[in-house]
Amino acid sequence: MDTAEPHRDLAGAWRRWLLFAALALLVVGYCAAFALFMTRSEDFLVARYNQRALDFSRGHIVSAPAKLSFGLGEPDNPRLGGGWHAPDSGGTWSQSVDAVVEIVVPHEHVPLLLRVNATAAVLKQRPRMKVKAFINGMPAGDWLRDVSNASSPLDLRVPASAANAGRLEIRLGVDHTASPFRLGAGPDDRQLGLLLHSIELLDADASR
Amino acid sequence: MPQPGSTYLQVREVLLPIAAMLLVSRAVLLLVGVLTATQLAPPTAAIGHDLLSYLCRFDCGWYLSVVQHGYSTLENTDQPGATNLGFYPVFPLLVRGLSSLLSADPFHSAIVVSNLCFYAALIYIYRYARLLGVDHHAALLCTGLICVLPQSIAFSAAYSESTFLLLLVVAMFHLRRENYLVAGIAAALLSATRANGVFFLVFAVAWLIRSVGLRGLLTPWRAPEKIVPIVLAPMGLLVFWGYCFATTGDAFAGPSSMYHGWGWYFSPPWEALTAMLRSDNVAFFFGLVSLGLLVCSLLLWRQGWYEEFAFCVALIVLMMSGAVIGSLFRYGLVLFPLWIALARALAPRPVLSALTFSTLALLNAMMMSAWTLQNLIAI
């Protein structure tokens, strides 16, 4: 009777389970690392652009009434944080579903109304676009844009707490971006959201 | 026909013909580069006349910046958002290793690494074709086709294409030979050479299903050695992501840079294909290339090479999903199973073989001209 055979089988089984445990551990490690990356990672370029925009805006404080213009050669382009393409003539297109503008106003500013003059990238193939705005993380309005009102201004009432703090981090969000090239609507192969022309700072009380 | 163990025959029938095809094709491409620079380039074009300078275009500078200065978050002033974090580390590490070893300058080391990898990859592709049951002549024809594919200059330039090709064929070859650890290590390095290397998983899973069935796939503890390549394959990518996370706070610094600097984003492949085919510029040709690659992949299905078919289709769909449609020629080069299937189909038809070979060589020469002139079609 060969007594070595069961021993070999046992050793084989033991090694098999050890290898399986090691591989399972590795997969768990991957999942943990991936979860960490997904939850803690921040787009380093967006973070840089946002910081750059904030630094510029802190050095260029504005108060109402004022009009900030964006587009090729416009002086307020440095207020644009992450999520924007390079400026075009007539405005600057947002590149992603979330784009940031930094504005700093004097502390204890009068109640503010921001009038965002922008055109939504409404194409025949994607005829509707939902737009949402946040100021310092707080919802400041949402709109539905289509061909009839693609260029209507977006009025954002600035919460008193935000106006008092001085820093206005404006996030302009869209539910989708669209590439005219991909949709057969033109040669531009960029992803486009909102074409930001200007932002007017108005005294909210006066504009009522 | 070379037999296993017959070293002399292996050298005479395989290694020398492959070396000859590689050298001749490179020499012709460089000659085309020289002729383009001297005859076609506008007088204002700043083209270096050092022969090896033709092997450095477009992304070459990015790879060399990683080799020379390591990874950096500095953006290119002419291309906001573009950083060298978009380029994966295995090729630059090999170049840096060789450069340190031989005290050679990084560019020349990069050329040596690329060409050595290309030669080794061609030999492995020959062996892979033979493993699939392809005869000697068709296997050699395949290596010849790869040498003349449009934009095959990327295999000899300071680019990661040849390293990727070598690691891909090594991983696939050793998986088919059931050398799981070697396949797994090659696969891990592959995903750290280019992010799409992780698509080796498609091949490995398809192979596993075919060899042990779906039930075997769902009970991996029965034969855990078979899943070693699958588990190891994403490791390279995750290690690089970990490095990016530790240094920039953004694990996906590579994709971030590709998005902001190169305009990369994902969209449905059918949108891309229809957009390319509708286009009246160079994108139309990229659309044709995508279709051509898909048609070639059907040859894999016809041959019964389902694992290779799944892998190639997955990579072609990925290529079409990327919004930057340039570089499609270059990305298609590494799909070597397609070229094996094509060579097998062509081998019994000498006239068609010659015609295909000449057409590809002509297109390759045109692409070399575009590459020399830094025309965007060759990016």
Side-chain angles (χ1 to χ4, degrees), chain A residues 16-17 19-20 23 26 30 34 37-38 40-46 48-49 95-96 179 181-184 189 191, chain B residues 73 75 81 220 222 224-225 231 235 238 241-242 245 249-251 253 256 259-260 265 267 272 275 278 322-323:
Chain A
R16 216 165 42 235
W17 278 106
L19 176 61
F20 178 71
L23 294 174
L26 204 51
Y30 288 168
F34 191 70
F37 297 157
M38 288 298 286
R40 295 289 184 86
S41 273
E42 184 185 16
D43 185 320
F44 77 106
L45 289 163
V46 167
R48 176 185 295 170
Y49 299 154
Q95 177 185 21
S96 55
S179 159
F181 175 72
R182 292 268 158 154
L183 297 174
D189 64 355
Q191 288 289 105
Chain B
T73 57
E75 294 169 60
R222 288 175 192 271
E225 68 280 0
V231 175
M235 185 182 275
L238 279 157
W241 283 351
F245 185 65
D250 181 4
S256 298
Y259 175 69
H260 295 286
Y265 60 90
S267 66
R278 263 196 313 256

Side-chain angles (χ1 to χ4, degrees), chain B residues 108-153:
Chain B
H108 289 105
S109 303
I111 301 303
V112 171
V113 167
S114 271
N115 284 283
L116 285 180
C117 285
F118 187 35
Y119 184 50
L122 289 176
I123 293 167
Y124 254 103
I125 289 169
Y126 171 86
R127 294 180 69 194
Y128 192 88
R130 302 286 282 130
L131 192 67
L132 290 176
V134 174
D135 70 37
H136 168 70
H137 294 291
L140 269 189
L141 177 63
C142 169
T143 58
L145 280 177
I146 292 172
C147 287
V148 301
L149 283 173
Q151 227 183 338
S152 69
I153 191 66

Side-chain angles (χ1 to χ4, degrees), chain B residues 285-307:
Chain B
F285 295 102
F286 287 123
L288 287 185
V289 169
S290 305
L291 276 182
L293 291 173
L294 281 172
V295 169
C296 278
S297 67
L298 293 177
L299 290 172
L300 293 167
W301 182 270
R302 204 175 137 201
Q303 306 277 1
W305 301 335
Y306 303 117
E307 300 91 329

Side-chain angles (χ1 to χ4, degrees), chain B residues 74-112:
Chain B
L74 284 178
E75 294 169 60
N76 185 337
T77 45
D78 301 328
Q79 196 181 351
T83 73
N84 66 12
L85 285 157
F87 297 84
Y88 285 69
V90 167
F91 176 67
L93 279 172
L94 285 174
V95 174
R96 187 182 264 196
L98 188 74
S99 180
S100 308
L101 198 70
L102 303 178
S103 302
D105 78 280
F107 173 58
H108 289 105
S109 303
I111 301 303
V112 171

